[in-house]
Amino acid sequence: MANIASSRKRARQAVKRNVHNTGLRSKLRTAIKAVRKAIAAGDKAAATKVYSQSTSVIDSIADKKIIHKNVAARHKSRLASAVKSMA
């Protein structure tokens, strides 16, 4: 455990930030899974709608630097191509 008051505070803040970021990362994964589930169901209209909602979630989490912007772009690109390739 830290001895200096400022380092104790930084440790407390790190714990709070870790919990917050974990929740956001979970939200990201849930959004991606929702698109994959809609694709697996085979309904292109529903998949397109869920994809557009998920893109905003992915972008907002990338803006908060939970994930890198290139990782966000890669997720969106892969999901978009999967939706587009639906029969």
Side-chain angles (χ1 to χ4, degrees), residues 1 17 25 40 67:
M1 184 65 194
R17 195 168 47 250
R25 210 170 293 115
I67 60 170

Side-chain angles (χ1 to χ4, degrees), residues 1 8-9 23 28-29 39 41 51 60 67 76 84-85:
M1 184 65 194
R8 282 196 297 264
K9 181 178 178 180
L28 168 76
R29 291 186 185 124
I39 292 169
Y51 170 74
S60 70
I67 60 170
K76 290 192 303 183
K84 189 176 179 182
S85 68

Side-chain angles (χ1 to χ4, degrees), residues 5-6 17 19-20 30-31 37 44 47 50 63 65 69 73:
S6 61
R17 195 168 47 250
V19 170
H20 182 253
T30 303
K37 188 176 179 183
K44 190 167 185 173
V50 173
D63 288 341
K65 297 184 178 159
K69 62 184 174 122

